[in-house]
Amino acid sequence: MLKSTVILCLLILPAVFSRLIIYPSAPGAPKSDKFQVFLTQGSGGQQESFVYITSSDHRQNQSSSDIPGRTLSWTSFAFTEKPVKVDVLAQNDFNACLVRPTRYRIGCIRSGPKRATFTVASNASMMSVEFDNDQTGPDKDITDKLLVFADAPESSVPSKDDPSVLYYDVGMHDLNGQLAIPEGVKEVYLAPGAFVEGGFITTASHPVTIHGRGVLDTRQYVWHDTRFRWAIINMDQGSDHIIEGITLVDSMQFFIRALSDHVTISNVKTVGAWVYNNDGISVGFGSVVRDSFIHANDDSIKLYASNVEVTRCVVWQAQNGAVFQFGWWPTRTVQRVLVTSVDVIHTDWCTFKGKNCHISPNDAVVDLAGNTTLLQVSDLEFRDVRVEGFCPRIFNFKMAPLATGTVSDVMFSDWNVESQSAANSSLHNEISGVGEKGRIENWHFVNFVVGRLCVFDPSKANFDIDPNTTSNVNFLCPKLVGDSD
């Protein structure tokens, strides 16, 4: 009996060697057949980290963006103190590998046949590992994606016996749709190794925390499944909610919709965005989104409320949607938004469309889509944003034909866009109001770098800014031209 108990404990508890934490996995969880990942810290032995997988195949015929034959694999671990060496064993051989965001400056080498090696020094790293035999481009997708997430160790684990906690331990759990969090439950915990099929919705006014290192997955639910209201996690009801640490996978619609006030989203990962309406994160007044990875196939971050802060996030924008979206709703009243230190590692709008790409009005890094007819938007700052690779369009901020109001006092500083569409293409960075009643005013671009050159003449950087409906839109380059670091 004692021997069985010891074995059970070894299965349930995360493996800890030195300060490296290897998360357990649930028996029956989907294991990747594309990649294996092995971790080493200091003089400790090499340990395998479980690699999950999700595939686009089962979404075929569920929406017009369902393109089969693609996979996304990911693994997560935690560590402190010494850096961790990561070895990736791929299914196919390659010549070179790359870790994004490139801001991390993590060098990746081919250390043997089918093997990539790199070292992670920070435990707040959200990485895409990419190979030259499966490269993206203006008209090509990465077929088999691999993400590696390095966490800080958990700081707060609740008791399983606390009646105010829904505790999901290591193992497979089926919620049969979206679970309404009962009155009196203040905490939902997904332990490392918990694989929960379903979602959650708040129904009471008190704050709720959803956290842990487990997985929340909806691949078994059809697109727009009626058992869900909008998203895998819906926190429109209540206020002061927290979502921390978990991974959300293969959403049947939005990943997170939390339009209540004062929501904090931290160290969350959304992956496997295969179909339209796979929006990333939307939050309400006074909310914070930080240190999170967003893979979305619609708007990644909806900036629909005032006093919102987004910081230290990594975005993989799939074939549809904006990175930062302001539109869709009839009225948009937003003041005091701060976006800092965001890495956009892919913008895949032209994928599968050939080199002469025509994309939706919804597709841009900063976008105003739909028929928003009343805008009172001001005091926005987007600072230290990096857009890697080829970006078909940075701005598509055009007011609807009947729109009124102003979008004013907007600052874009210290941007670095690696490459964008040529001036003779059909895609331009468009900024315009409408008539005399819809105005764009006081937009400032400071150290806005495209292709390693700071933009001081917007006409030479594929900007189309309507002079009749905008005023005081200016570009400044205090740094040396070409100094993008």
Side-chain angles (χ1 to χ4, degrees):
M1 179 65 182
L2 179 60
K3 182 178 180 180
S4 299
T5 302
V6 171
I7 293 173
L8 181 61
C9 289
L10 290 174
L11 288 173
I12 291 177
L13 293 175
V16 180
F17 190 93
S18 181
R19 294 292 179 175
L20 173 63
I21 301 172
I22 305 294
Y23 298 146
S25 60
K31 184 176 183 179
S32 178
D33 59 351
K34 306 295 183 181
F35 302 99
Q36 289 179 276
V37 172
F38 302 90
L39 308 174
T40 308
Q41 187 182 51
S43 59
Q46 188 180 75
Q47 301 177 76
E48 185 170 4
S49 182
F50 186 87
V51 182
Y52 296 88
I53 193 169
T54 175
S55 168
S56 67
D57 287 351
H58 70 289
R59 294 292 184 193
Q60 194 168 4
N61 302 320
Q62 292 190 20
S63 87
S64 58
S65 65
D66 53 351
I67 299 171
R70 297 177 294 156
T71 69
L72 186 149
S73 301
W74 81 96
T75 191
S76 301
F77 61 95
F79 76 98
T80 60
E81 298 185 0
K82 297 180 181 179
V84 174
K85 186 181 79 166
V86 180
D87 287 291
V88 176
L89 185 61
Q91 187 180 45
N92 301 306
D93 208 354
F94 56 91
N95 294 312
C97 54
L98 173 69
V99 174
R100 297 185 189 272
T102 56
R103 182 204 299 260
Y104 291 169
R105 300 186 184 276
I106 295 176
C108 184
I109 63 169
R110 180 184 180 276
S111 54
K114 304 181 182 180
R115 185 176 293 271
T117 299
F118 56 93
T119 298
V120 181
S122 169
N123 62 12
S125 299
M126 302 161 285
M127 298 156 282
S128 171
V129 187
E130 303 174 9
F131 304 90
D132 63 348
N133 66 339
D134 190 0
Q135 283 188 324
T136 189
D139 58 350
K140 186 179 184 297
D141 188 31
I142 296 178
T143 302
D144 297 312
K145 303 170 177 63
L146 173 63
L147 305 175
V148 176
F149 301 126
D151 296 326
E154 293 182 271
S155 60
S156 176
V157 177
S159 169
K160 297 179 183 180
D161 300 323
D162 188 334
S164 69
V165 176
L166 292 180
Y167 194 111
Y168 295 92
D169 213 336
V170 179
M172 303 289 289
H173 308 268
D174 188 351
L175 302 183
N176 191 30
Q178 190 173 48
L179 177 68
I181 299 174
E183 182 81 32
V185 170
K186 298 180 180 179
E187 197 169 349
V188 178
Y189 179 68
L190 279 62
F195 196 92
V196 180
E197 297 174 310
F200 298 100
I201 183 169
T202 55
T203 58
S205 59
H206 63 72
V208 173
T209 295
I210 301 176
H211 69 122
R213 297 295 184 264
V215 174
L216 194 55
D217 181 278
T218 58
R219 76 186 68 199
Q220 68 166 298
Y221 302 98
V222 299
W223 187 53
H224 288 192
D225 195 301
T226 57
R227 287 171 286 183
F228 292 77
R229 185 174 180 184
W230 283 106
I232 299 180
I233 296 179
N234 184 312
M235 287 184 152
D236 288 355
Q237 180 70 28
S239 66
D240 297 276
H241 303 305
I242 296 172
I243 309 174
E244 188 274 332
I246 65 173
T247 302
L248 292 85
V249 183
D250 200 345
S251 181
M252 42 69 240
Q253 198 169 346
F254 292 13
F255 282 95
I256 297 173
R257 174 174 151 138
L259 298 181
S260 53
D261 295 348
H262 304 292
V263 174
T264 299
I265 297 175
S266 178
N267 190 28
V268 167
K269 301 94 174 177
T270 74
V271 303
W274 303 124
V275 290
Y276 287 161
N277 303 131
N278 278 172
D279 296 70
I281 296 175
S282 183
V283 292
F285 177 90
S287 295
V288 176
V289 181
R290 64 186 176 220
D291 300 305
S292 293
F293 183 95
I294 303 168
H295 177 225
N297 197 11
D298 212 316
D299 303 326
S300 287
I301 302 170
K302 293 179 180 291
L303 297 174
Y304 286 5
S306 298
N307 288 26
V308 167
E309 180 179 349
V310 178
T311 186
R312 299 187 303 274
C313 291
V314 179
V315 175
W316 185 320
Q317 190 66 50
Q319 286 79 30
N320 176 54
V323 177
F324 304 109
Q325 179 61 257
F326 284 89
W328 294 122
W329 290 5
T331 300
R332 178 65 62 239
T333 302
V334 176
Q335 286 83 38
R336 296 173 302 280
V337 169
L338 176 63
V339 175
T340 62
S341 300
V342 172
D343 291 279
V344 182
I345 60 172
H346 289 285
T347 52
D348 290 342
W349 304 306
C350 287
T351 301
F352 309 117
K353 295 180 181 178
K355 297 188 183 301
N356 296 319
C357 176
H358 298 273
I359 61 179
S360 163
N362 186 34
D363 301 337
V365 178
V366 180
D367 194 87
L368 177 63
N371 192 30
T372 302
T373 54
L374 178 60
L375 295 110
Q376 294 296 337
V377 179
S378 64
D379 299 307
L380 314 178
E381 182 177 0
F382 296 79
R383 184 176 68 241
D384 190 22
V385 175
R386 300 194 177 209
V387 184
E388 299 189 15
F390 170 71
C391 179
R393 182 165 59 198
I394 309 167
F395 292 91
N396 192 49
F397 208 97
K398 299 171 61 180
M399 289 189 181
L402 298 179
T404 62
T406 60
V407 181
S408 64
D409 301 300
V410 183
M411 170 69 77
F412 301 94
S413 63
D414 297 319
W415 278 52
N416 189 328
V417 180
E418 187 173 342
S419 174
Q420 69 167 352
S421 296
N424 60 359
S425 75
S426 62
L427 301 174
H428 307 282
N429 299 312
E430 299 192 47
I431 300 172
S432 65
V434 55
E436 296 181 356
K437 295 183 178 180
R439 304 292 300 176
I440 302 286
E441 299 175 351
N442 303 327
W443 282 34
H444 308 290
F445 296 79
V446 179
N447 296 320
F448 194 94
V449 174
V450 177
R452 298 190 62 81
L453 295 176
C454 184
V455 178
F456 57 87
D457 182 350
S459 67
K460 295 182 179 180
N462 203 14
F463 277 82
D464 186 356
I465 302 173
D466 181 10
N468 298 315
T469 59
T470 67
S471 62
N472 196 26
V473 178
N474 55 65
F475 290 74
L476 301 173
C477 294
K479 291 183 180 179
L480 291 175
V481 174
D483 181 9
S484 58
D485 295 324

